[in-house]
Amino acid sequence: MNLMEQAENGVAMDHLIDHVPSDPAERVRVLQRLLGEPACRQLGIYPIPPGFKLSVVIPVYNEEQWVRELLRRVQAVPIPKEIVVVDDCSKDGTRDILRQLAGDEVRVFYQEVNQGKGAALREGFKHCTGDVVIVQDADLEYDPSEYPRLIQPILENRADVVFGSRFIGDTHRVLYFWHSVANSALTTLSNMFTNLNLTDMETCYKVFRREVLQGINLKSNRFGFEPEITAKVAKKKNPAWRVYEVPISYSGRTYEEGKKIGLKDAFTALYCILRYWKFD
């Protein structure tokens, strides 16, 4: 291809981009014609049903460094949504930032005593009005641009619950070896009791049809939420909830950057795996 042809193609592409429809449904139709429907499905490009709403629940504790950018990224995702933020009694400047950002799309609720991630999520779930609910941590380890791929199995009526896995084929930041060992061990033990074959039980990204959460009584206050919700989803029978995993990218952070989960939480997760499989 000579320079003139390259220039002409560049102009044609710029012209095409400038004329991509602003209507989301029409944009999907154009991209499907350009790329083909199979490629679009792989990329998470598909029509969102009319009237659909996603509820994004974000538990927050001492995240003044990241929460503003995180909320900007969540709001930028082109899916109709509500954002439910629960501040778990932050002691830094997080609450001041949330008061500035609260509005029609971002609803903020404040815990007066620090209780943990599980307690914050329980509070957030009570205020969800969307068709599908997704859990989002308040840091930048998990990328909100993954939402279309995460909710796709539910919107296509193939799943009721979706886990975003950090370990089945997408990029991730290389960090703590022993964390990965503990994660693998806890996931394997959870699978033994639940008879699921998950690769990442401890993932932040868990997505639910809203009626799934309405039928579950959650009790864990801290990071025990992860094994508890997994066990209780697996217990559902007649019919069983359909569970899918979707690969996600992951940019973990160090303790110096604000990572909070530690060895104590690993032992708590172990206890919760045993407790919530045998008892409610």
Side-chain angles (χ1 to χ4, degrees):
M1 182 182 293
N2 60 38
L3 292 176
M4 182 60 72
E5 289 173 329
Q6 292 181 35
E8 289 174 351
N9 283 345
V11 170
M13 183 60 70
D14 289 341
H15 178 80
L16 179 63
I17 292 173
D18 289 340
H19 289 81
V20 170
S22 58
D23 176 67
E26 186 61 29
R27 188 184 306 125
V28 168
R29 285 193 286 271
V30 170
L31 291 172
Q32 286 178 339
R33 290 186 63 187
L34 285 170
L35 304 175
E37 186 173 343
C40 285
R41 290 188 71 256
Q42 288 294 321
L43 295 170
I45 300 171
Y46 55 91
I48 301 296
F52 172 82
K53 182 167 67 175
L54 175 68
S55 294
V56 183
V57 182
I58 309 176
V60 181
Y61 178 66
N62 288 352
E63 295 288 358
E64 64 175 342
Q65 184 176 359
W66 311 111
V67 69
R68 188 185 297 275
E69 174 62 15
L70 183 276
L71 286 173
R72 185 195 69 78
R73 294 186 186 185
V74 173
Q75 289 179 296
V77 178
I79 295 175
K81 60 187 171 295
E82 62 178 359
I83 304 170
V84 178
V85 181
V86 180
D87 180 84
D88 194 26
C89 198
S90 294
K91 302 300 184 184
D92 60 358
T94 299
R95 288 197 164 198
D96 293 333
I97 295 172
L98 291 176
R99 290 188 182 99
Q100 297 171 20
L101 299 177
D104 292 337
E105 190 179 47
V106 180
R107 292 185 291 146
V108 184
F109 302 90
Y110 301 94
Q111 305 273 62
E112 296 308 317
V113 177
N114 178 259
Q115 300 177 62
K117 178 179 179 178
L121 286 173
R122 283 201 307 274
E123 179 64 25
F125 293 155
K126 290 191 294 187
H127 300 281
C128 291
T129 61
D131 305 282
V132 173
V133 179
I134 187 169
V135 175
Q136 170 72 60
D137 284 351
D139 49 56
L140 303 182
E141 293 187 331
Y142 295 85
D143 186 356
S145 68
E146 308 271 10
Y147 290 177
R149 293 172 65 197
L150 285 162
I151 68 173
Q152 186 174 1
I154 294 178
L155 292 186
E156 293 178 347
N157 197 28
R158 294 183 287 121
D160 304 295
V161 179
V162 176
F163 285 62
S165 175
R166 298 165 285 182
F167 306 126
I168 55 173
D170 222 319
T171 60
H172 67 274
R173 181 181 177 182
V174 177
L175 276 176
Y176 302 116
F177 169 74
W178 290 110
H179 275 241
S180 65
V181 170
N183 193 309
S184 178
L186 291 170
T187 297
T188 299
L189 184 63
S190 174
N191 286 344
M192 290 169 62
F193 284 93
T194 62
N195 199 30
L196 299 175
N197 61 342
L198 295 169
T199 64
D200 193 5
M201 179 270 294
E202 292 282 354
T203 181
C204 153
Y205 276 156
K206 294 180 172 67
V207 192
F208 312 89
R209 294 188 190 274
R210 191 172 51 156
E211 55 264 36
V212 171
L213 292 174
Q214 291 172 337
I216 294 177
N217 179 26
L218 295 168
K219 297 180 179 178
S220 295
N221 283 344
R222 287 181 52 80
F223 293 103
F225 165 80
E226 317 293 356
E228 180 188 5
I229 191 70
T230 303
K232 291 182 175 179
V233 164
K235 281 183 177 182
K236 174 69 165 57
K237 306 297 180 185
N238 301 318
W241 295 126
R242 298 166 297 171
V243 181
Y244 265 61
E245 275 192 316
V246 171
I248 58 169
S249 60
Y250 177 65
S251 179
R253 58 179 176 171
T254 65
Y255 286 103
E256 292 75 20
E257 293 169 329
K259 192 175 188 69
K260 297 180 176 68
I261 194 167
L263 182 61
K264 177 182 176 182
D265 297 301
F267 285 110
T268 300
L270 176 61
Y271 166 75
C272 289
I273 289 171
L274 301 174
R275 173 187 175 186
Y276 290 114
W277 179 246
K278 191 67 176 176
F279 306 103
D280 188 34

